[in-house]
Each structure stands twice: as structure tokens, then as C-alpha cells.
């Protein structure tokens, strides 16, 4: 259906419009092979299974991830296979390896993409940056995308709670004439809230911007800046952390999620209200040039190249650990660990 978001009309699909029974009917003859059992793999595979679809998991053996799949109830030789065997058995291949891992496995996946199958992504990365990744699917398969707007962990958690994470969907190539039904059915099957339409390019550029921006990069940057200013002016770690992070995550954001920011501004003290109204625009103006620089770096392919170069290195996980340690050992997040322990529900 078409829905208005402000004055812009968009194509969306709701669960009422495309119920689970219809999704099951569309995919009744398909074998959905979820390739990779990292973060998205478990969320999507388990939700599909619990929703009654025919799902198998493909995962390389001899890694901890294989054991995790077994622990989650996937049975070796029945519903859990080596990657190549899963590629052979699946009629829909859900390519949920890390984006760097997808480059490495592509020759194997391509070999098993026989006419009529579908290649499914949760990120537009591999296909959009095909010159860098080499991922160029054959013409007689569907190439589709469902990108849950959140972590695979939340996708599963919200499904179990009877809620749903919103996802975007896109069709890059309709090789069979069935791509639209297949992609929407899969979007409903993995437990999406509502689905909104995009294309592979827009998905990848918005996603790379969002995760580097307000969702992860910018938010940590703003936390660190405020925390440092408070500490430099003699505030204790407890006070600085509570005023910077804890109040936001525990109290305000759930309310903003429920009601929007205007409600939040209307339902705080008049002192907070005046200050927030005066200061949000200077913060917007100060950070906008950084967001413009970021978007440009995404648009020119620089961010994709950097990801491919660093994530494909053998010592990627070792170097990552060192960078995460820097964050974990920072005073702000050390304070955070103590504050989390002190939450009544953790005692
Ligand atoms: N993370 C999220 O919540 C999220 C959200 C939205 C969209 N997405 C998209 O979903 C896709 C999957 O992301 P993810 O975060 O779930 O990935 P991830 O956790 O990094 O994926 C790890 C999986 O890929 C396998 N793998 C990595 N390199 C491999 C290689 N060279 N050969 C064989 N297997 C390899 C891993 O196996 P081992 O453990 O054996 O190494 C593991 O099964 C990506 O396209 C991502 O952009 C992710």
C-alpha cells in the first residue's frame, strides 16, 4: 500500500496486508538456506523456523559458530550443513556472511545459483560495490534484499516478545517474475514489523551513513565530548555518566520511542524544555558538516573500500579487540559498567 510520511508517499507492506499465512503459501515449495550464523543469521533463521518455513543453516565447520548453531537446535545433516552443501540444497540463498566473508564465498555461491533460485541479502553492499566485491549474480535468478533496521539480536528478541523490527526491502533483479512475492514473504517470515521499499544503492548508502552517524559513531562521539567537558569541570564519573548516558538510555529514549521528541520536550521540566529548545539547533549546525563529509565518503565508495580492506585482513579480529578495549577501558565506559551493576534489576 501507499502511505504518507509527512508529505512524501511511500510503498510499504504491513502484516495485515501480507499475513503470515500468505507468506507461507508463497514459500511453501522453497528451501531457505541461511548462509552464515553470525548476528543476522540466527535471528532470521530462528524466526523463519518458528514461523513455519522450511529452513536450513549453512555454516563452516570447526568454528565456534557451528557449535552455537547446534546449541540453538539446528541438527547436523538434517538442518545444519557445510556452506557449499547448503548452497546446493537451498532454493533461496540468504547470504548472511559478513560482507567481507561474502566476497570469499561468492565463487561457491555462484556455482549453485541455478536458474530460478533467489539470492537474498540483508545489505546492498555486495552488489552495489560489485567492482570491489566481484559479486555479479547470473541473470536468471532473483536478487532481493530484506534489511532489518537493527541488530539480529533485537530481531530475535522482539520476535519472541511478539513485536517486530522494521525492515526495508528491495529487488535488484527479477529473474523469475516472482521476486516481489518472494521478497515480501521473506520479509514477513523473518519477523519484520512493517516493510518499506528501497533499492540496493539507497539501502547501502543510508545504512553506512546511519551506523557511522547517529546510531553508533556520532552518538559515541557526542557522549565522549559531553563526558569529558563534565569531568574537566570537576564532576564525578557517576554524575557525568548518569547525565550523559544512563538517563538517555534508561529513561528518555524509551519515551521518545513511544511518543516522539515533541512529547518529550513537552513532558520534561520547563527548565530542561527551554534549554533543549535553545540548544538543539546549534548542535545540528555544528555536526551537519561532519554528516555531509561522512555522506560524501560513503557516496564516493571510500567507506566501502575501507571496510573491505580492513575486514578482509587475517588479523582483523585481533585489531578489533584492541580498539574495543580502548573504549571499554575509557573512564566513561568503566563508569558505565559500575552503573549497570548498580541497577536494581541486576541485584
Ligand atoms: N549485524 C547485524 O545485526 C546486521 C543488521 C542488518 C544487516 N546486516 C547484514 O547482514 C549480513 C550479515 O551480517 P552479520 O553482522 O550477521 O555478519 P557477521 O556476524 O559478521 O557474520 C559472521 C558469519 O560469517 C561467517 N564468515 C565470515 N567470513 C567467512 C569466510 N571467509 N568463510 C566462511 N564463513 C565466513 C562466520 O563464520 P565463522 O564464525 O566461522 O567465522 C559467521 O557465520 C551482512 O550483509 C550485514 O551487513 C547485519
Amino acid at each position: 500500500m501507499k502511505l504518507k510520511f509527512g508529505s512524501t508517499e511511500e510503498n510499504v507492506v504491513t502484516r495485515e496486508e501480507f499475513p503470515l499465512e500468505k507468506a507461507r503459501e508463497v514459500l511453501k515449495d522453497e528451501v531457505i538456506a541461511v548462509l552464515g550464523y553470525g548476528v543476522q543469521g540466527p535471528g532470521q533463521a530462528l524466526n523463519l523456523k518458528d514461523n513455519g518455513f522450511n529452513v536450513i543453516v549453512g555454516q563452516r565447520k570447526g568454528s565456534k559458530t557451528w557449535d552455537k548453531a547446534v546449541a540453538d537446535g539446528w541438527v547436523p545433516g538434517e538442518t545444519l550443513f557445510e556452506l557449499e552443501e547448503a548452497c546446493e540444497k537451498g532454493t533461496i540463498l540468504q547470504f548472511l556472511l559478513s560482507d567481507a566473508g561474502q566476497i570469499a564465498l561468492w565463487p561457491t555461491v555462484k556455482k549453485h545459483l541455478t536458474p530460478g533460485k533467489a539470492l537474498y541479502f540483508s545489505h546492498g553492499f555486495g552488489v552495489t560495490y560489485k567492482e570491489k566485491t566481484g559479486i555479479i549474480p547470473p541473470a536468471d535468478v532473483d536478487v532481493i534484499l530484506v534489511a532489518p533496521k537493527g541488530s539480529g539480536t533485537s530481531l530475535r528478541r522482539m520476535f519472541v516478545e511478539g513485536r517486530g523490527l522494521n525492515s526495508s526491502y528491495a529487488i535488484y533483479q527479477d529473474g523469475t517474475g516472482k521476486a516481489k512475492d518472494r521478497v515480501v514473504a521473506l520479509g514477513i517470515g523473518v519477523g519484520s514489523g512493517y516493510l518499506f521499499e528501497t533499492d540496493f544503492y539507497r539501502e547501502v548508502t543510508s545504512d553506512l551513513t546511519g551506523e557511522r552517524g547517529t546510531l553508533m559513531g556520532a552518538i559515541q562521539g557526542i557522549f565522549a565530548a559531553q563526558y569529558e567537558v563534565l569531568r574537566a569541570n570537576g564532576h564525578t564519573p557517576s554524575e557525568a555518566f548518569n547525565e550523559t548516558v544512563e538517563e538517555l538510555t534508561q529513561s528518555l529514549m524509551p519515551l521518545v520511542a513511544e511518543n516522539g521528541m515533541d512529547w518529550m520536550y513537552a513532558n520534561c521540566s520547563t527548565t530542561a524544555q527551554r534549554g533543549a529548545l535553545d540548544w538543539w539547533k546549534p548542535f545540528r549546525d555544528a555536526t551537519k558538516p561532519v554528516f555531509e563529509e561522512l555522506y560524501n565518503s560513503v557516496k564516493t565508495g571510500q567507506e566501502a573500500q575501507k571496510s573491505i580492506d580492513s575486514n578482509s585482513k587475517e588479523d582483523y579480529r585481533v585489531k578489533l579487540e584492541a580498539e574495543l578495549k580502548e573504549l571499554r577501558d575509557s573512564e566513561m565506559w568503566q563508569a558505565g559498567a559500575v552503573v549497570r551493576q548498580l541497577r536494581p534489576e541486576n541485584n
Side-chain angles (χ1 to χ4, degrees):
M1 67 168 81
K2 293 213 183 284
L3 262 190
K4 271 200 159 178
F5 294 79
S7 56
T8 305
E9 205 172 59
E10 294 188 35
N11 283 328
V12 302
V13 182
T14 64
R15 295 199 207 181
E16 288 72 41
E17 183 187 355
F18 203 105
L20 194 52
E21 300 76 65
K22 184 168 170 188
R24 288 197 195 109
E25 177 59 29
V26 169
L27 300 178
K28 68 178 188 312
D29 298 324
E30 310 274 11
V31 176
I32 304 168
V34 173
L35 308 175
Y37 207 72
V39 183
Q40 274 299 314
Q44 298 198 23
L46 291 169
N47 290 1
L48 281 164
K49 186 172 87 167
D50 289 351
N51 270 336
F53 295 89
N54 187 12
V55 194
I56 60 173
V57 168
Q59 167 60 40
R60 63 179 165 190
K61 247 188 194 156
S63 93
K64 276 191 272 180
T65 315
W66 174 277
D67 301 338
K68 179 179 177 340
V70 173
D72 281 355
W74 302 98
V75 182
E78 283 178 32
T79 52
L80 174 61
F81 301 92
E82 284 276 8
L83 285 161
E84 177 148 19
E85 205 176 345
C87 290
E88 192 194 329
K89 288 189 184 319
T91 57
I92 294 174
L93 305 187
Q94 295 202 176
F95 210 3
L96 298 183
L97 265 57
S98 65
D99 294 308
Q102 289 178 18
I103 299 173
L105 193 71
W106 174 243
T108 307
V109 170
K110 191 176 174 192
K111 198 164 81 184
H112 294 286
L113 274 176
T114 46
K117 286 197 181 188
L119 177 62
Y120 164 114
F121 293 89
S122 284
H123 199 12
F125 195 98
V127 161
T128 301
Y129 300 116
K130 55 181 182 291
E131 289 81 15
K132 301 183 199 299
T133 64
I135 298 180
I136 303 170
D140 45 15
V141 301
D142 295 338
V143 183
I144 54 185
L145 168 147
V146 173
K149 295 290 119 187
S151 165
T153 310
S154 327
L155 184 73
R156 180 63 182 163
R157 206 175 273 179
M158 289 169 81
F159 175 84
V160 170
E161 291 167 2
R163 300 160 67 206
L165 200 63
N166 300 328
S167 303
S168 58
Y169 73 92
I171 298 168
Y172 180 77
Q173 183 174 289
D174 186 358
T176 67
K178 298 188 293 190
K180 175 77 191 289
D181 268 359
R182 270 171 148 179
V183 72
V184 172
L186 287 162
I188 298 294
V190 300
S192 305
Y194 86 96
L195 293 155
F196 62 93
E197 191 181 34
T198 187
D199 60 41
F200 276 56
Y201 174 78
R202 280 185 291 146
E203 194 285 330
V204 75
T205 46
S206 60
D207 201 63
L208 293 181
T209 303
E211 65 205 9
R212 282 156 180 71
T214 58
L215 305 177
M216 307 261 288
I219 193 80
Q220 164 62 20
I222 286 178
F223 284 165
Q226 175 168 306
Y227 184 89
E228 284 168 20
V229 169
L230 288 172
R231 288 289 288 132
N233 284 281
H235 298 271
T236 60
S238 206
E239 189 160 58
F241 188 82
N242 272 285
E243 285 296 346
T244 304
V245 181
E246 191 74 351
E247 181 172 340
L248 180 77
T249 59
Q250 300 304 295
S251 164
L252 304 190
M253 276 301 129
L255 293 172
V256 172
E258 264 174 45
N259 306 300
M261 195 60 103
D262 62 316
W263 182 94
M264 192 67 252
Y265 281 21
N267 287 276
C268 59
S269 71
T270 50
T271 314
Q273 192 174 68
R274 185 66 264 138
L277 285 164
D278 287 344
W279 278 94
W280 79 263
K281 289 180 184 168
F283 277 110
R284 177 197 58 193
D285 297 344
T287 56
K288 202 167 170 186
V290 187
F291 283 104
E292 276 159 351
E293 189 187 330
L294 162 61
Y295 194 82
N296 198 45
S297 182
V298 168
K299 211 164 77 174
T300 56
Q302 254 177 288
E303 293 301 309
Q305 191 62 52
K306 271 197 252 178
S307 298
I308 292 171
D309 292 346
S310 76
N311 302 356
S312 306
K313 290 204 176 105
E314 283 292 320
D315 62 352
Y316 174 68
R317 282 187 177 156
V318 178
K319 290 217 167 113
L320 168 73
E321 186 41 42
E323 286 184 86
L324 296 182
K325 188 170 182 318
E326 184 193 338
L327 270 181
R328 190 161 55 240
D329 290 350
S330 68
E331 189 196 87
M332 180 171 73
W333 289 110
Q334 288 285 308
V338 180
V339 171
R340 287 197 297 277
Q341 264 171 22
L342 290 170
R343 287 184 197 147
E345 68 267 30
N346 292 340
N347 285 297

